[in-house]
């Protein structure tokens, strides 16, 4: 959307939006060519989050920026504020929180309906019910698609491979993520520096995922050599 549409959607004028951008509270818009800027739903959500923090808790922009960058001393003491900060961090990181209709996912993958039920049963995904039907988050839709790719690679029901075989991965990933978050917060809690904690978290998710994957490959190769 263009700036005019962003102003209309949020009720915030362009001068104020540009102040948010200068403070680094919103992601930079896409610029397909010079003097053209395209904004997205992430900008809408980010602006609403900023306005809510300003209105309800009277937080100045400098303090909001410090909180987003990981300065624990700038965090509101009221835990109810964390949801707004989460929205703001997600917007700055460009995380797409849009929902996909279940019918759209099923149209792309013939067996998605059964896969969705099975993956939900083991806690891998969550269907979201709305008045007009069921939806999936984009991440959950990706998980369904990944299992479809596994089936296409030969992991079929005929060989005994169903989505339930992923239960081990779901439990391990969730347990690991909980512990990673505890360690991350324990090291940053109370620190009064300007290190961008949100960027650090994003880097950790990328690099440690690669680290974890290489450890798995190494272990599988070691086990195969021992069996041989």
């Amino acid at each position: 959307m263009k700036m005019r549409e962003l102003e209309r959607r949020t009720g915030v004028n362009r001068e104020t939006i540009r102040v948010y951008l200068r403070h680094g509270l919103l992601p930079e818009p896409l610029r397909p060519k010079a003097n053209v800027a395209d904004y997205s739903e992430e900008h809408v959500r980010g602006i609403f989050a900023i306005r809510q923090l300003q209105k309800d808790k009277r937080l100045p922009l400098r303090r909001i920026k410090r909180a987003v960058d990981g300065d624990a001393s700038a965090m509101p003491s009221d835990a109810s504020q964390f949801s707004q900060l989460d929205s703001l961090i997600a917007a700055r990181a460009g995380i797409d929180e849009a929902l996909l209709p279940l019918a759209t996912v099923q149209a792309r993958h013939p067996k998605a309906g059964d896969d969705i039920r099975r993956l939900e049963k083991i806690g891998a995904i969550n269907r979201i019910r709305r008045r007009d039907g069921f939806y999936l988050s984009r991440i959950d839709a990706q998980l369904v698609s990944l299992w479809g790719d596994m089936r296409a690679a030969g992991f079929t029901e005929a060989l005994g491979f169903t989505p339930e075989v992923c239960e081990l991965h779901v439990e391990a990933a969730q347990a690991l993520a909980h512990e990673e978050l505890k360690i991350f917060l324990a090291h940053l809690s109370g620190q009064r520096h300007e290190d961008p904690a949100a960027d650090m978290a994003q880097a950790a998710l990328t690099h440690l995922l690669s680290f974890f994957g290489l450890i798995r490959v190494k272990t599988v190769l070691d086990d195969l050599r021992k069996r041989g």
Side-chain angles (χ1 to χ4, degrees):
M1 72 187 81
K2 303 304 180 186
M3 177 62 83
R4 182 178 298 178
E5 175 67 8
L6 186 61
E7 289 179 299
R8 187 190 69 79
R9 291 277 305 275
T10 62
V12 177
N13 62 56
R14 64 185 61 201
E15 288 76 19
T16 300
I17 293 172
R18 285 169 179 154
V19 170
Y20 296 163
L21 287 165
R22 284 199 300 271
H23 276 75
L25 294 173
L26 296 171
E28 284 296 316
L30 293 176
R31 299 187 182 276
K33 56 184 178 179
N35 300 320
V36 176
D38 290 330
Y39 300 88
S40 66
E41 293 300 321
E42 284 71 42
H43 293 92
V44 174
R45 287 192 290 271
I47 291 169
F48 282 143
I50 294 167
R51 299 297 280 181
Q52 193 73 23
L53 288 168
Q54 288 181 309
K55 179 181 177 180
D56 290 353
K57 293 301 173 181
R58 302 183 184 279
L59 294 182
L61 292 183
R62 290 190 303 275
R63 187 174 172 189
I64 295 174
K65 179 62 165 63
R66 285 167 49 209
V68 171
D69 283 349
D71 186 346
S73 67
M75 291 285 189
S77 58
D78 183 356
S80 66
Q81 295 301 301
F82 292 162
S83 60
Q84 292 297 335
L85 287 171
D86 289 348
S87 297
L88 187 53
I89 292 171
R92 196 187 69 164
I95 297 174
D96 190 345
E97 297 177 349
L99 299 176
L100 291 176
L102 218 61
T104 300
V105 180
Q106 290 173 323
R108 296 175 183 172
H109 308 285
K111 295 188 177 182
D114 186 53
D115 290 346
I116 289 168
R117 287 189 293 272
R118 289 170 177 263
L119 288 170
E120 186 174 38
K121 186 176 179 180
I122 63 174
I125 65 173
N126 297 289
R127 286 184 295 175
I128 299 169
R129 185 166 190 165
R130 295 284 177 85
R131 290 182 179 179
D132 57 343
F134 286 97
Y135 288 77
L136 289 180
S137 70
R138 289 194 179 275
I139 289 179
D140 284 355
Q142 283 182 279
L143 290 169
V144 175
S145 178
L146 283 171
W147 181 254
D149 293 341
M150 289 286 290
R151 182 187 291 108
F155 292 82
T156 64
E157 288 82 354
L159 294 176
F161 292 103
T162 65
E164 283 84 355
V165 303
C166 294
E167 186 169 10
L168 172 65
H169 300 81
V170 173
E171 293 176 352
Q174 290 174 345
L176 179 60
H178 289 318
E179 290 303 314
E180 285 177 328
L181 183 58
K182 286 181 184 178
I183 294 170
F184 182 76
L185 294 177
H187 281 282
L188 288 184
S189 180
Q191 298 295 322
R192 300 195 175 195
H193 51 68
E194 294 298 325
D195 288 343
D199 292 341
M200 288 172 61
Q202 189 174 1
L205 288 171
T206 301
H207 300 318
L208 289 179
L209 180 61
S210 297
F211 187 92
F212 182 72
L214 287 173
I215 292 293
R216 287 181 61 209
V217 171
K218 178 183 175 182
T219 302
V220 168
L221 290 175
D222 286 345
D223 281 357
L224 288 173
R225 290 179 184 123
K226 290 175 183 177
R227 290 171 184 268

